[in-house]
Amino acid sequence: MPTSTPPAASPDAAVVPAQDQVRQSLVEAIHLLAALGYSEGLAGHVSVRDPEDDNAYWVNPFGLDFHHVTPDDLLLVGSEGTVLRGTGALNPSVDPLHGELHRSRPDLTAFAHTHSMYGKTWSSLGRRLDPITQDACVLYQRHSVYGQFLGLVNARREGKEVVKTMGDGTAVIMQNHGFLTGGRSIGEAVWLFIVMERAAQSQLMAEASASEPLLIPHDVAVDTGRALAKLEFADKQYRNLYETTCQRR
């Protein structure tokens, strides 16, 4: 029987290396945070574990505005806090914080931290966010407060304390500093940061009114948070927001 020759693979069907995919995804996440107005001056960093080396992670360089970061600007940081790839400057706060997180939480892939307006404002109160809305329930019993401010996070000891404070949760309120979130994907880490920022905005608005906001009962908040905490939900909501915010501008 005659045999047919399989069609040649289309150039468009070429497989994108995992490392390139991760770098592009990280840049998209950084651009979304910029588009939402969550970046602030020189502060803020988003990191993701390298798909080829569990002991290394990618992060944005110091001093480059979130709006302008490209895949070629990203830095690959190794287990000793040294830059393995990239030519930009590494923020001295990155490895003491993100490095310790990546090394201590293998269950999480990415971490996001910026000095967003409502996050840093809420952090000055030294309190957890309350379950006053359905959306805020995803944070209920999943975030903690690191209750001190010692200046720039340049010491590994402090990074280890932040990791200890996070425990097995997914977010930390760094007192007088801002929010930090972690996720099983880049999308989840950034989506949780957005949810947290908006929860802080909502609670600040509610507490500024004449009435005290009503809390969702504990059992209901736990069940609601568990239902909302699915990775597929976070990734889908993140992607929808990225496409409507960044791709249609």
Side-chain angles (χ1 to χ4, degrees), residues 15-237:
V15 176
V16 178
Q19 213 173 50
D20 290 344
Q21 290 180 330
V22 163
R23 291 164 66 218
Q24 180 60 38
S25 296
L26 178 56
V27 167
E28 290 176 355
I30 292 168
H31 287 175
L32 177 57
L33 292 172
L36 295 174
Y38 293 173
S39 58
E40 182 78 12
L42 300 177
H45 15 85
V46 187
S47 65
V48 61
R49 196 181 311 278
D50 182 68
E52 298 179 4
D53 182 357
D54 287 343
N55 296 315
Y57 60 92
W58 293 93
V59 69
N60 53 299
F62 179 65
L64 183 60
D65 188 276
F66 273 30
H67 292 85
H68 304 308
V69 177
T70 71
D72 290 338
D73 295 317
L74 299 175
L75 305 177
L76 180 63
V77 183
S79 59
E80 302 300 321
T82 56
V83 176
L84 305 177
R85 182 171 164 187
T87 58
L90 179 66
N91 187 320
S93 295
V94 163
D95 201 63
L97 185 59
H98 287 248
E100 292 300 328
L101 287 162
H102 281 290
R103 289 186 281 272
S104 302
R105 293 294 303 272
D107 57 316
L108 300 180
T109 298
F111 298 92
H113 167 67
T114 82
H115 296 180
S116 52
M117 178 57 69
Y118 294 103
K120 63 186 177 184
T121 302
W122 181 266
S123 76
S124 70
L125 305 178
R127 296 164 44 198
R128 295 184 187 185
L129 290 158
D130 294 323
I132 64 170
T133 67
Q134 174 177 297
D135 295 327
C137 289
V138 76
L139 300 165
Y140 186 59
Q141 294 194 326
R142 290 182 172 87
H143 74 290
S144 306
V145 177
Y146 174 64
Q148 56 183 329
F149 179 76
L150 302 175
L152 301 178
V153 183
N154 293 336
R156 292 198 179 279
R157 177 184 57 78
E158 187 170 12
K160 291 179 185 296
E161 287 299 317
V162 173
V163 170
K164 182 179 178 181
T165 298
M166 179 181 276
D168 61 357
T170 53
V172 173
I173 297 172
M174 300 175 68
Q175 187 171 300
N176 304 109
H177 192 156
F179 291 164
L180 183 149
T181 58
R184 294 162 288 182
S185 67
I186 298 173
E188 184 177 47
V190 173
W191 176 250
L192 285 175
F193 190 94
I194 294 167
V195 170
M196 201 168 185
E197 174 75 3
R198 292 175 172 174
Q201 180 182 7
S202 177
Q203 189 161 352
L204 286 166
M205 292 171 64
E207 293 189 357
S209 69
S211 301
E212 184 176 346
L214 302 177
L215 302 186
I216 295 172
H218 169 76
D219 291 344
V220 177
V222 169
D223 289 343
T224 303
R226 186 180 300 117
L228 294 175
K230 295 180 180 179
L231 178 59
E232 62 193 276
F233 289 173
D235 283 341
K236 182 61 176 177
Q237 292 174 105

